[in-house]
Amino acid sequence: GAGVSQSPSNKVTEKGKDVELRCDPISGHTALYWYRQRLGQGLEFLIYFQGNSAPDKSGLPSDRFSAERTGESVSTLTIQRTQQEDSAVYLCASSALTGNYGYTFGSGTRLTVV
Amino acid sequence: GQNIDQPTEMTATEGAIVQINCTYQTSGFNGLFWYQQHAGEAPTFLSYNVLDGLEEKGRFSSFLSRSKGYSYLLLKELQMKDSASYLCAVSKAAGNKLTFGGGTRVLVKP
């Protein structure tokens, strides 16, 4: 597609429920990244996928968080047993790994745990 | 690890110039990025520096000194629409994850 697409744009869930967030990267972009942004704060790295290499999961805050990506296509970020501290905007970005223009970000999913 | 520091907030007047500083300490370096983020929106790419010196792009310029671990973003002829957060980020390797600073919120007043 023309840009990075994320869904849903907003999600309100009850504490303890599982949620799944989706990211559709720009076609041909081999690298995909998930970040979390709490209100008024900077971006916190979660996980990075590059082609068929093992993902860099070093930013995942707990084992309640997991992510998958099939090939160079869609990725899903799953949060199990959500907690109020998980409330944030979850941003996905993709990169072609060529040139030096950083990433293209999606508009994010605003997650609210009540 | 990586540590990136930038001021939390700055205020400037329409038509003026503002300089946002960013200092970093990293175990590897492949470039420094600046992003602009309006409230409720995704970050958008502004500039990239990998060599020392100044990169100019219209009203926006970015400077890098690798030996000092220092960068700044210069915004000239400020407009009201420049009110946003400005994020400094460092990459350790090409295509690798970016580590972001906390962002600097710039408020442009009439």
Side-chain angles (χ1 to χ4, degrees), chain A residues 74-114:
Chain A
V74 171
S75 174
T76 55
L77 176 69
T78 301
I79 309 173
Q80 296 177 306
R81 305 180 303 281
T82 51
Q83 304 293 314
Q84 288 184 329
E85 70 218 37
D86 300 334
S87 295
V89 175
Y90 289 83
L91 289 161
C92 174
S94 68
S95 167
L97 296 186
T98 57
N100 293 310
Y101 299 101
Y103 310 159
T104 302
F105 281 89
S107 297
T109 295
R110 182 176 299 277
L111 176 66
T112 304
V113 182
V114 297

Side-chain angles (χ1 to χ4, degrees), chain B residues 21-81:
Chain B
N21 296 323
C22 173
T23 58
Y24 64 90
Q25 293 175 310
T26 63
S27 54
F29 182 81
N30 189 63
L32 187 140
F33 296 79
W34 284 95
Y35 281 80
Q36 180 190 59
Q37 186 179 28
H38 284 100
E41 297 182 12
T44 55
F45 171 80
L46 285 179
S47 69
Y48 170 75
N49 294 70
V50 66
L51 300 177
D52 291 350
L54 189 68
E55 295 280 342
E56 296 187 82
K57 206 186 276 188
R59 294 189 298 113
F60 293 5
S61 303
S62 57
F63 171 84
L64 176 67
S65 168
R66 288 171 296 170
S67 62
K68 294 182 180 178
Y70 168 69
S71 172
Y72 67 73
L73 179 70
L74 195 69
L75 316 180
K76 303 176 195 172
E77 300 168 22
L78 279 171
Q79 301 175 9
M80 299 299 291
K81 67 179 182 180

Side-chain angles (χ1 to χ4, degrees), chain A residues 4-59:
Chain A
V4 178
S5 178
Q6 291 189 246
S7 61
S9 55
N10 278 286
K11 176 73 177 178
V12 179
T13 190
E14 291 181 353
K15 179 181 172 182
K17 295 281 178 70
D18 297 352
V19 294
E20 192 172 277
L21 313 180
R22 177 186 168 107
C23 173
D24 200 343
I26 291 173
S27 178
H29 278 193
T30 57
L32 185 147
Y33 315 80
W34 283 97
Y35 284 83
R36 176 170 72 178
Q37 187 173 34
R38 292 197 167 105
L39 187 64
Q41 298 187 17
L43 275 68
E44 176 188 4
F45 168 74
L46 296 177
I47 187 168
Y48 157 50
F49 295 91
Q50 163 47 13
N52 293 319
S53 302
D56 177 351
K57 303 179 181 180
S58 60

